[in-house]
Amino acid sequence: MANIKQRHRRRTGMLGLVLSVGFATGCANLGGSPGADPSPVDSAARESLSAASSSAASSSVTTASAAGVEYVAMGSSFAAGPSIPPVKEGSVAAACSRSNNNYASIVARDTGAKLTDVTCSGATTANVLTASQGGQSAQINAVKSTTRLVTVTIGGNDVNYLGSVVSYSCQNKGEANCGTVSTSAIDTALGAVSGRIQNVVKAVHKISPQARVLLVNYMTVLPDSGTCTGVPLTASQLAYERTVASRLADATAAAATVTGATLVNVAAASHGHDACASTPWVEKYKPASGRATYHPNEAGMKAVASLVKYMIGTSGPLPAGYTRCASEGGTCTFSGTRAVAFGSGAYAYKTATGSIPCTSSAFGGDPAADIVKTCYIASAGGPYGYTKCASEGGTCSVPGYNRDVVFGANGNFKHLVTKGGVACTSAKFGGDPAANVLKSCYLAPNGAPAGWTKCSAEGGTCAAVAGQPVMYGAYGSFNTAVATGNTACTTASFGGDPIGNETKSCYTGPAAPAGYKTTACASQGGTCAFTGKRTVAYGAKGRYVYKTLSGGTTCKAAVFGVDPLYGVLKSCYLTY
């Protein structure tokens, strides 16, 4: 078993191409209610969010709920922020050109997360995993068992991306000591870099199984077409370096897919903010004094911080019990106050009364870039499958030793694993999840999370394939892992006991993703027929990729650009 993911309790909400691991429950520890508004996004970043967000299932960390979360930032100069004042205190920070206004520092200040910043200019994946640099040991050593949030920007130096752009610029300006560019070495490195980034995520999860990892890729440096005097590359050099940038972004996306990390697609969001743009997020070859060539400026770091905060507040797959209420561009109408999900494969949540436009602007950003999305409303009352045990102000009697108890209404809940009698009040649950709404308490059922299938009793072996999500727990409280093959159904395999003194079991994911028709439109290799533009899910066993297509499609990995679960017969599914 590898890449153990966050501890999950059943919640009604959780967290191009979007990949999701089909966890049917919501996420505990880091997450707030799905109805909570997403983190604020500044206007420049908001304009770019339509291209910025691809995620795998992870817990929902809202701006408010990130307070006190142990957060480690790792990566190279695009994370460290060289020449952005002020430099952090200390000789190591100075050696690494680590700014106090890099994106991780901004995220920590805005969310209240407890940041350990080990980013370092010039870092490669080796400096993250094994090699010291700038007077500090390998960056991975900053991750502890209590770490719950990790951001990583890495891989650019492995493939000499910025180094080659600088060398070309230097040569074309007739300057000295420019260095050489080996395209064959770059191409070889590009073939290996995704695996190296995967190793970084795996190393994090080996130390902290419950950490959420965000892979933050590199800003777009070069204009989409043409150039300017500040970027002195030839047409052929520009074409080659754009290919390098694209392949590096693809490698990072693939690493997120394989490991279940969340991709923060800065490369896509920063198109139009290149070094030649009127509102650049990166500097030119010859920047103002004190600035770093082809590296992020303050505006760029602020934009990346906004994108990271937004992705912290989104989550992936749709919880059980939500029903479709509108297509993107329409209006979701309902009675009372409800939590509403917007997305496809990855979702943003808002709490609304009566109606809400099914648009990115209404939800504070785009949780699934370049995908036709849908709105879904939470069911009235309690979470799917839960049983009411008390009205607000009453007492919920909890049978057995421990149970997941939720307090709230209509998709907005707070959770508590407890025993005995529990007061059904905001004070007991640490806050009001649904202001001005009559709430109740609900008990989790025993058995499988909604849509999941039992694969083993505790102590046995769950038959699974590499990459398949597996849940372990009982009574609404589960730990989730990504299998490397058949998996021991034990506390040790899942990084901890999700619910003490209760008999647990293991479960494998549903055949179809939540929010999609349960009957496939095609098996792998067949044709999924439809008219117009539709979002199609492709995968199996709780792991899917999503893509918007027109006029039907062949159901195969080549269409979707990635195989979400190797060696398993997959299918395609359409939304209702």
Side-chain angles (χ1 to χ4, degrees), residues 366-459:
D366 189 339
D370 300 323
I371 298 289
V372 173
K373 290 163 282 292
T374 302
C375 282
Y376 303 83
I377 55 170
S379 57
Y384 183 84
Y386 278 53
T387 302
K388 182 177 175 180
C389 59
S391 297
E392 186 173 8
T395 299
C396 176
S397 179
V398 181
Y401 191 86
N402 277 319
R403 297 290 188 275
D404 181 38
V405 183
V406 302
F407 169 68
N410 307 341
N412 291 308
F413 298 94
K414 286 186 173 290
H415 290 242
L416 183 66
V417 173
T418 187
K419 61 181 179 179
V422 58
C424 190
T425 64
S426 296
K428 179 63 177 178
F429 284 81
D432 189 341
N436 303 313
V437 175
L438 183 63
K439 294 167 281 289
S440 297
C441 284
Y442 301 86
L443 277 172
N446 192 16
W452 289 60
T453 302
K454 182 176 177 179
C455 59
S456 174
E458 185 173 6

Coordinates of all heavy atoms in Angstrom, one line a residue, residues 366-459:
D366 N -13.1 28.6 -11.0 CA -13.4 27.4 -11.8 C -12.7 26.2 -11.2 O -11.5 26.1 -11.3 CB -12.9 27.6 -13.2 CG -13.4 26.6 -14.2 OD1 -13.7 25.5 -13.7 OD2 -13.5 26.8 -15.4
P367 N -13.4 25.2 -10.6 CA -12.8 24.1 -10.0 C -12.4 23.0 -11.0 O -11.7 22.1 -10.6 CB -13.9 23.5 -9.1 CG -15.2 23.9 -9.8 CD -14.9 25.2 -10.4
A368 N -12.8 23.1 -12.3 CA -12.5 22.1 -13.3 C -12.3 22.8 -14.6 O -13.2 23.0 -15.4 CB -13.6 21.1 -13.3
A369 N -11.1 23.1 -14.9 CA -10.7 24.0 -16.0 C -11.1 23.3 -17.3 O -10.9 22.1 -17.5 CB -9.3 24.3 -16.1
D370 N -11.7 24.0 -18.3 CA -11.9 23.6 -19.6 C -12.9 22.4 -19.7 O -12.9 21.5 -20.6 CB -10.6 23.2 -20.4 CG -9.7 24.4 -20.5 OD1 -10.2 25.5 -20.7 OD2 -8.5 24.2 -20.4
I371 N -13.7 22.2 -18.6 CA -14.7 21.2 -18.5 C -16.1 21.8 -18.4 O -16.2 22.7 -17.6 CB -14.4 20.3 -17.3 CG1 -13.0 19.6 -17.4 CG2 -15.5 19.3 -17.1 CD1 -12.9 18.5 -18.4
V372 N -17.0 21.3 -19.1 CA -18.4 21.7 -18.9 C -18.9 21.1 -17.6 O -18.8 19.9 -17.3 CB -19.3 21.2 -20.1 CG1 -20.8 21.5 -19.8 CG2 -18.9 21.8 -21.4
K373 N -19.3 22.0 -16.7 CA -19.6 21.7 -15.4 C -21.2 21.6 -15.1 O -22.0 22.0 -16.0 CB -19.0 22.6 -14.4 CG -17.4 22.5 -14.4 CD -16.7 23.7 -13.8 CE -16.6 24.8 -14.8 NZ -15.8 24.5 -16.0
T374 N -21.5 21.1 -13.9 CA -22.9 21.0 -13.5 C -23.0 21.4 -12.1 O -22.1 21.4 -11.3 CB -23.3 19.5 -13.6 OG1 -23.1 19.1 -15.0 CG2 -24.8 19.3 -13.3
C375 N -24.2 21.8 -11.7 CA -24.5 22.2 -10.3 C -25.4 21.1 -9.7 O -26.2 20.5 -10.3 CB -25.2 23.5 -10.2 SG -24.1 24.9 -10.3
Y376 N -25.1 20.8 -8.4 CA -25.8 19.8 -7.6 C -26.2 20.4 -6.3 O -25.4 21.1 -5.7 CB -24.9 18.5 -7.4 CG -24.4 17.9 -8.7 CD1 -23.3 18.4 -9.3 CD2 -25.1 16.8 -9.2 CE1 -22.8 17.8 -10.5 CE2 -24.6 16.2 -10.4 CZ -23.5 16.7 -11.0 OH -23.0 16.1 -12.1
I377 N -27.3 20.0 -5.7 CA -27.7 20.5 -4.4 C -27.7 19.3 -3.4 O -28.0 18.2 -3.8 CB -29.1 21.1 -4.4 CG1 -30.2 20.2 -5.0 CG2 -29.1 22.5 -5.1 CD1 -31.6 20.7 -4.8
A378 N -27.3 19.7 -2.2 CA -27.4 18.7 -1.1 C -28.8 18.3 -0.8 O -29.7 19.1 -0.9 CB -26.7 19.2 0.1
S379 N -29.0 17.1 -0.4 CA -30.3 16.7 0.1 C -30.7 17.5 1.3 O -29.9 17.8 2.1 CB -30.4 15.2 0.3 OG -29.4 14.8 1.3
A380 N -32.0 17.7 1.5 CA -32.5 18.3 2.7 C -32.4 17.3 3.9 O -32.4 16.1 3.7 CB -34.0 18.7 2.5
G381 N -32.1 17.9 5.0 CA -31.9 17.0 6.2 C -30.5 16.6 6.4 O -29.5 17.4 6.2
G382 N -30.3 15.3 6.7 CA -29.0 14.8 7.0 C -28.2 14.3 5.9 O -28.7 14.2 4.8
P383 N -27.0 13.9 6.1 CA -26.1 13.3 5.1 C -26.8 12.0 4.6 O -27.5 11.3 5.3 CB -24.8 13.0 5.8 CG -24.8 13.8 7.0 CD -26.2 14.0 7.4
Y384 N -26.4 11.6 3.4 CA -26.9 10.4 2.8 C -26.6 9.2 3.6 O -25.5 8.9 4.0 CB -26.3 10.2 1.4 CG -26.8 9.0 0.6 CD1 -28.0 9.1 -0.1 CD2 -26.2 7.8 0.6 CE1 -28.5 8.0 -0.8 CE2 -26.6 6.7 -0.1 CZ -27.8 6.8 -0.8 OH -28.2 5.8 -1.5
G385 N -27.7 8.4 4.0 CA -27.5 7.2 4.7 C -27.5 7.4 6.2 O -27.5 6.4 7.0
Y386 N -27.3 8.6 6.7 CA -27.3 8.8 8.2 C -28.7 8.9 8.7 O -29.7 9.2 8.0 CB -26.6 10.2 8.5 CG -25.1 10.1 8.5 CD1 -24.4 9.6 7.4 CD2 -24.4 10.6 9.6 CE1 -23.0 9.6 7.4 CE2 -23.0 10.6 9.6 CZ -22.3 10.1 8.5 OH -20.9 10.0 8.5
T387 N -28.9 8.6 10.0 CA -30.1 8.5 10.7 C -30.2 9.6 11.7 O -29.3 9.8 12.6 CB -30.3 7.1 11.4 OG1 -30.2 6.1 10.4 CG2 -31.7 7.1 12.0
K388 N -31.4 10.4 11.7 CA -31.5 11.4 12.7 C -31.6 10.8 14.1 O -32.3 9.9 14.4 CB -32.8 12.2 12.4 CG -33.0 13.4 13.4 CD -34.3 14.2 13.0 CE -34.6 15.3 14.0 NZ -35.8 16.0 13.6
C389 N -30.9 11.4 15.0 CA -30.9 11.0 16.4 C -31.3 12.0 17.4 O -31.6 11.7 18.6 CB -29.5 10.4 16.8 SG -28.1 11.6 16.7
A390 N -31.4 13.3 17.0 CA -31.9 14.4 17.9 C -32.1 15.6 17.1 O -31.4 15.9 16.1 CB -30.9 14.6 19.0
S391 N -33.0 16.4 17.5 CA -33.2 17.8 17.0 C -32.3 18.7 17.7 O -31.8 18.4 18.8 CB -34.7 18.2 17.2 OG -35.6 17.4 16.4
E392 N -32.0 19.9 17.1 CA -31.2 20.9 17.8 C -31.7 21.2 19.2 O -32.8 21.4 19.4 CB -31.1 22.1 16.9 CG -30.1 23.2 17.4 CD -30.0 24.3 16.5 OE1 -30.8 24.4 15.5 OE2 -29.1 25.2 16.7
G393 N -30.7 21.1 20.1 CA -31.0 21.4 21.5 C -31.3 20.1 22.3 O -31.3 20.1 23.5
G394 N -31.5 19.0 21.6 CA -31.7 17.7 22.3 C -30.4 17.0 22.5 O -29.3 17.5 22.4
T395 N -30.6 15.7 22.8 CA -29.4 14.8 23.1 C -29.4 13.6 22.2 O -30.5 12.9 22.1 CB -29.4 14.4 24.6 OG1 -29.3 15.5 25.4 CG2 -28.2 13.5 24.8
C396 N -28.3 13.4 21.5 CA -28.2 12.2 20.6 C -27.6 11.1 21.4 O -26.5 11.2 22.0 CB -27.4 12.6 19.4 SG -27.0 11.2 18.3
S397 N -28.3 10.0 21.5 CA -27.8 8.8 22.2 C -27.0 8.0 21.2 O -27.5 7.5 20.2 CB -28.9 8.0 22.8 OG -28.5 6.8 23.4
V398 N -25.7 7.8 21.5 CA -24.8 7.1 20.6 C -24.6 5.7 21.1 O -24.0 5.4 22.1 CB -23.4 7.8 20.5 CG1 -22.5 7.1 19.6 CG2 -23.6 9.3 20.1
P399 N -25.1 4.7 20.3 CA -24.9 3.3 20.7 C -23.4 2.8 20.4 O -22.7 3.5 19.6 CB -25.8 2.5 19.8 CG -25.9 3.4 18.5 CD -25.8 4.8 19.0
G400 N -23.0 1.7 21.0 CA -21.7 1.2 20.8 C -20.6 2.1 21.4 O -20.9 2.9 22.3
Y401 N -19.4 1.9 21.0 CA -18.3 2.6 21.6 C -18.1 4.0 21.0 O -18.0 5.0 21.6 CB -17.0 1.8 21.6 CG -15.9 2.3 22.4 CD1 -15.9 2.0 23.8 CD2 -15.0 3.2 21.9 CE1 -14.9 2.5 24.6 CE2 -14.0 3.8 22.7 CZ -13.9 3.4 24.1 OH -13.0 4.0 24.9
N402 N -17.9 4.0 19.6 CA -17.7 5.2 18.9 C -18.5 5.3 17.6 O -18.7 4.3 17.0 CB -16.2 5.3 18.5 CG -15.3 5.9 19.6 OD1 -15.7 6.8 20.3 ND2 -14.2 5.3 19.8
R403 N -19.0 6.4 17.3 CA -19.7 6.7 16.1 C -19.4 8.1 15.6 O -19.1 9.0 16.3 CB -21.2 6.6 16.3 CG -21.8 5.2 16.8 CD -21.6 4.2 15.7 NE -22.3 2.9 16.0 CZ -21.7 1.9 16.7 NH1 -20.5 2.1 17.2 NH2 -22.4 0.8 17.0
D404 N -19.5 8.2 14.3 CA -19.4 9.5 13.7 C -20.8 10.2 13.8 O -21.8 9.6 13.3 CB -19.0 9.5 12.2 CG -18.9 10.9 11.6 OD1 -18.4 11.8 12.3 OD2 -19.3 11.0 10.4
V405 N -20.9 11.3 14.5 CA -22.1 12.0 14.7 C -22.0 13.4 13.9 O -20.9 14.1 14.1 CB -22.5 12.3 16.1 CG1 -23.8 13.0 16.3 CG2 -22.4 11.0 16.9
V406 N -23.0 13.8 13.2 CA -22.9 15.1 12.5 C -24.0 16.0 13.0 O -25.1 15.5 13.4 CB -23.0 14.9 11.0 CG1 -21.9 14.0 10.4 CG2 -24.4 14.4 10.5
F407 N -23.7 17.3 13.0 CA -24.7 18.3 13.4 C -24.8 19.3 12.3 O -23.8 19.9 11.9 CB -24.2 18.9 14.7 CG -24.9 20.2 15.1 CD1 -26.2 20.1 15.6 CD2 -24.3 21.4 15.1 CE1 -26.9 21.2 16.0 CE2 -24.9 22.6 15.5 CZ -26.3 22.5 15.9
G408 N -26.0 19.5 11.8 CA -26.2 20.5 10.8 C -27.5 20.3 10.0 O -28.4 19.6 10.5
A409 N -27.5 20.8 8.8 CA -28.6 20.6 7.9 C -28.3 20.9 6.5 O -27.4 21.7 6.2 CB -29.8 21.5 8.3
N410 N -28.9 20.2 5.5 CA -28.9 20.6 4.1 C -27.5 20.7 3.5 O -27.3 21.6 2.7 CB -29.7 21.9 3.9 CG -31.1 21.8 4.5 OD1 -31.6 20.8 4.8 ND2 -31.7 23.0 4.8
G411 N -26.7 19.8 3.9 CA -25.3 19.8 3.2 C -24.2 20.5 4.0 O -23.1 20.4 3.7
N412 N -24.6 21.1 5.1 CA -23.6 21.8 5.9 C -23.5 21.2 7.3 O -24.5 21.3 8.1 CB -23.9 23.3 6.1 CG -23.7 24.0 4.8 OD1 -22.7 23.9 4.1 ND2 -24.7 24.7 4.3
F413 N -22.4 20.5 7.7 CA -22.3 19.7 8.9 C -21.0 19.9 9.6 O -20.0 20.1 8.9 CB -22.6 18.2 8.6 CG -23.9 18.0 8.0 CD1 -24.1 17.9 6.6 CD2 -25.0 17.8 8.8 CE1 -25.3 17.7 6.1 CE2 -26.3 17.5 8.3 CZ -26.4 17.5 6.9
K414 N -21.0 19.7 10.9 CA -19.8 19.5 11.6 C -19.8 18.1 12.2 O -20.9 17.5 12.5 CB -19.7 20.5 12.8 CG -19.3 21.9 12.3 CD -19.1 22.8 13.4 CE -18.5 24.2 12.9 NZ -17.2 24.1 12.4
H415 N -18.6 17.5 12.3 CA -18.5 16.0 12.7 C -17.9 15.9 14.0 O -17.0 16.7 14.4 CB -17.7 15.3 11.6 CG -18.4 15.1 10.3 ND1 -18.7 13.9 9.8 CD2 -18.8 16.0 9.4 CE1 -19.3 14.1 8.6 NE2 -19.3 15.3 8.4
L416 N -18.3 14.8 14.7 CA -17.7 14.5 16.0 C -17.7 13.0 16.1 O -18.8 12.4 16.1 CB -18.4 15.2 17.1 CG -17.9 15.0 18.5 CD1 -16.5 15.6 18.7 CD2 -18.9 15.6 19.5
V417 N -16.6 12.3 16.3 CA -16.6 10.9 16.7 C -16.6 10.8 18.2 O -15.7 11.3 18.9 CB -15.3 10.2 16.1 CG1 -15.2 8.8 16.6 CG2 -15.3 10.2 14.6
T418 N -17.7 10.2 18.7 CA -17.9 10.2 20.1 C -18.7 9.0 20.6 O -19.1 8.1 19.7 CB -18.7 11.5 20.5 OG1 -18.8 11.6 21.9 CG2 -20.1 11.5 19.9
K419 N -19.0 8.9 21.8 CA -19.8 7.8 22.4 C -20.7 8.3 23.5 O -20.6 9.5 23.9 CB -18.9 6.7 23.0 CG -18.0 7.2 24.1 CD -17.1 6.1 24.7 CE -16.2 6.6 25.8 NZ -15.4 5.6 26.4
G420 N -21.7 7.5 23.9 CA -22.6 8.0 24.9 C -23.6 9.0 24.4 O -24.0 8.9 23.3
G421 N -24.0 9.9 25.3 CA -24.9 11.0 24.9 C -24.2 12.2 24.5 O -23.2 12.6 25.1
V422 N -24.6 12.9 23.4 CA -23.9 14.1 22.9 C -25.0 15.2 22.7 O -26.1 14.9 22.1 CB -23.2 13.8 21.6 CG1 -24.0 13.3 20.5 CG2 -22.4 15.1 21.2
A423 N -24.7 16.4 23.3 CA -25.6 17.5 23.1 C -25.7 17.9 21.7 O -24.6 18.2 21.1 CB -25.2 18.6 24.0
C424 N -26.8 18.1 21.1 CA -27.0 18.5 19.7 C -27.0 20.0 19.7 O -28.1 20.6 19.4 CB -28.3 17.8 19.2 SG -28.5 18.0 17.4
T425 N -25.9 20.6 19.9 CA -25.8 22.1 19.9 C -24.5 22.5 19.2 O -23.5 21.8 19.0 CB -25.7 22.5 21.4 OG1 -24.5 22.0 22.0 CG2 -26.9 22.1 22.2
S426 N -24.5 23.8 18.8 CA -23.4 24.4 18.2 C -22.2 24.4 19.1 O -21.0 24.2 18.7 CB -23.7 25.8 17.7 OG -24.7 25.9 16.7
A427 N -22.4 24.6 20.4 CA -21.3 24.7 21.4 C -20.6 23.3 21.4 O -19.4 23.3 21.5 CB -21.9 25.1 22.7
K428 N -21.3 22.3 21.4 CA -20.7 20.9 21.5 C -19.9 20.6 20.3 O -18.8 20.0 20.4 CB -21.8 19.9 21.7 CG -21.3 18.4 21.8 CD -20.4 18.3 23.0 CE -19.9 16.8 23.1 NZ -19.0 16.6 24.3
F429 N -20.4 21.1 19.1 CA -19.7 20.7 17.8 C -18.7 21.8 17.4 O -18.2 21.7 16.3 CB -20.7 20.4 16.8 CG -21.4 19.1 16.9 CD1 -22.4 18.9 17.8 CD2 -20.9 18.0 16.2 CE1 -23.0 17.6 18.0 CE2 -21.5 16.7 16.3 CZ -22.6 16.6 17.2
G430 N -18.5 22.8 18.2 CA -17.5 23.8 17.9 C -17.8 24.8 16.9 O -17.0 25.4 16.2
G431 N -19.1 25.1 16.8 CA -19.6 26.2 15.8 C -20.9 25.8 15.2 O -21.4 24.7 15.2
D432 N -21.4 26.8 14.5 CA -22.7 26.7 13.8 C -22.4 26.4 12.3 O -22.0 27.3 11.6 CB -23.5 27.9 14.0 CG -24.9 27.8 13.5 OD1 -25.2 26.8 12.7 OD2 -25.8 28.6 13.9
P433 N -22.7 25.2 11.8 CA -22.4 24.9 10.4 C -23.4 25.5 9.4 O -23.2 25.5 8.2 CB -22.5 23.4 10.3 CG -23.4 23.0 11.4 CD -23.3 24.0 12.5
A434 N -24.6 25.9 9.9 CA -25.7 26.4 9.1 C -26.5 27.4 9.8 O -27.5 27.1 10.4 CB -26.6 25.2 8.6
A435 N -26.0 28.7 9.8 CA -26.6 29.7 10.5 C -28.0 30.0 10.1 O -28.3 29.9 8.9 CB -25.8 31.0 10.4
N436 N -28.9 30.3 11.0 CA -30.3 30.6 10.8 C -31.1 29.5 10.1 O -32.1 29.7 9.4 CB -30.4 31.9 9.9 CG -29.7 33.1 10.5 OD1 -29.9 33.4 11.7 ND2 -28.8 33.8 9.7
V437 N -30.6 28.3 10.3 CA -31.3 27.1 9.8 C -31.5 26.1 10.9 O -30.6 25.9 11.7 CB -30.5 26.4 8.6 CG1 -31.2 25.1 8.2 CG2 -30.4 27.3 7.5
L438 N -32.7 25.5 11.1 CA -32.9 24.6 12.1 C -32.1 23.3 11.8 O -32.2 22.7 10.7 CB -34.4 24.2 12.2 CG -34.8 23.2 13.3 CD1 -34.5 23.8 14.7 CD2 -36.3 22.9 13.2
K439 N -31.3 22.9 12.8 CA -30.4 21.8 12.5 C -30.8 20.6 13.3 O -31.7 20.6 14.2 CB -29.0 22.2 12.9 CG -28.5 23.3 12.0 CD -27.2 24.0 12.5 CE -27.6 25.0 13.6 NZ -28.2 26.2 13.0
S440 N -30.2 19.5 13.1 CA -30.4 18.2 13.8 C -29.1 17.5 13.9 O -28.1 17.8 13.3 CB -31.4 17.3 13.1 OG -32.7 17.9 13.0
C441 N -29.1 16.4 14.7 CA -27.9 15.5 14.7 C -28.3 14.2 14.1 O -29.4 13.7 14.1 CB -27.5 15.2 16.2 SG -26.6 16.6 16.9
Y442 N -27.3 13.6 13.5 CA -27.5 12.3 12.7 C -26.3 11.4 13.0 O -25.2 11.8 13.1 CB -27.5 12.6 11.2 CG -28.6 13.6 10.8 CD1 -28.3 15.0 10.8 CD2 -29.8 13.2 10.3 CE1 -29.3 15.9 10.4 CE2 -30.8 14.1 10.0 CZ -30.5 15.4 10.0 OH -31.5 16.3 9.6
L443 N -26.7 10.1 13.0 CA -25.7 9.0 13.3 C -25.3 8.3 12.0 O -26.2 8.0 11.1 CB -26.3 8.0 14.2 CG -26.3 8.2 15.7 CD1 -27.1 7.1 16.4 CD2 -24.9 8.2 16.2
A444 N -24.0 8.0 11.9 CA -23.5 7.3 10.7 C -24.0 5.9 10.7 O -24.1 5.3 11.8 CB -22.0 7.4 10.7
P445 N -24.3 5.3 9.6 CA -24.6 3.9 9.5 C -23.3 3.0 9.6 O -22.2 3.5 9.4 CB -25.2 3.7 8.1 CG -24.5 4.8 7.3 CD -24.2 5.9 8.2
N446 N -23.5 1.8 9.9 CA -22.4 0.8 9.8 C -22.3 0.4 8.3 O -23.1 0.6 7.5 CB -22.6 -0.4 10.7 CG -21.3 -1.2 10.8 OD1 -20.3 -0.8 10.5 ND2 -21.5 -2.4 11.3
G447 N -21.1 -0.2 8.0 CA -21.0 -0.8 6.7 C -20.3 0.2 5.7 O -19.6 1.2 6.1
A448 N -20.5 -0.1 4.4 CA -19.8 0.6 3.4 C -20.2 2.1 3.2 O -21.3 2.4 3.4 CB -20.0 -0.1 2.1
P449 N -19.2 2.9 2.9 CA -19.6 4.3 2.4 C -20.5 4.1 1.2 O -20.4 3.1 0.5 CB -18.2 4.9 2.0 CG -17.2 4.1 2.7 CD -17.8 2.7 2.8
A450 N -21.3 5.1 0.9 CA -22.3 5.0 -0.1 C -21.6 4.7 -1.5 O -20.7 5.4 -1.9 CB -23.0 6.3 -0.3
G451 N -22.1 3.6 -2.1 CA -21.6 3.2 -3.4 C -20.4 2.3 -3.4 O -20.0 1.8 -4.4
W452 N -19.7 2.1 -2.2 CA -18.5 1.3 -2.1 C -18.9 -0.1 -1.8 O -19.9 -0.4 -1.3 CB -17.6 2.0 -1.1 CG -17.0 3.2 -1.5 CD1 -17.6 4.4 -1.9 CD2 -15.6 3.5 -1.7 NE1 -16.7 5.3 -2.3 CE2 -15.5 4.8 -2.2 CE3 -14.4 2.8 -1.5 CZ2 -14.2 5.4 -2.5 CZ3 -13.2 3.4 -1.8 CH2 -13.1 4.7 -2.3
T453 N -17.9 -1.0 -2.0 CA -18.1 -2.4 -1.8 C -17.1 -3.0 -0.9 O -15.9 -2.8 -1.0 CB -18.0 -3.2 -3.2 OG1 -19.0 -2.6 -4.1 CG2 -18.3 -4.7 -3.0
K454 N -17.6 -3.8 0.1 CA -16.7 -4.4 1.1 C -15.7 -5.4 0.4 O -16.2 -6.2 -0.4 CB -17.4 -5.1 2.2 CG -16.6 -5.7 3.2 CD -17.4 -6.4 4.3 CE -16.6 -7.1 5.4 NZ -17.4 -7.7 6.5
C455 N -14.4 -5.3 0.6 CA -13.5 -6.2 0.0 C -12.8 -7.1 1.0 O -12.1 -8.1 0.7 CB -12.5 -5.4 -0.8 SG -11.5 -4.2 0.1
S456 N -12.9 -6.7 2.3 CA -12.2 -7.5 3.4 C -12.7 -7.1 4.7 O -12.9 -5.9 5.0 CB -10.7 -7.4 3.3 OG -10.1 -8.1 4.3
A457 N -12.7 -8.0 5.6 CA -12.9 -7.7 7.1 C -11.5 -7.3 7.6 O -10.5 -7.6 7.0 CB -13.5 -8.9 7.8
E458 N -11.5 -6.6 8.8 CA -10.3 -6.2 9.4 C -9.4 -7.4 9.6 O -9.9 -8.5 10.1 CB -10.6 -5.5 10.7 CG -9.3 -5.0 11.4 CD -9.7 -4.1 12.6 OE1 -10.9 -4.1 13.0 OE2 -8.8 -3.5 13.2
G459 N -8.1 -7.3 9.3 CA -7.2 -8.4 9.4 C -7.0 -9.3 8.2 O -6.1 -10.1 8.1

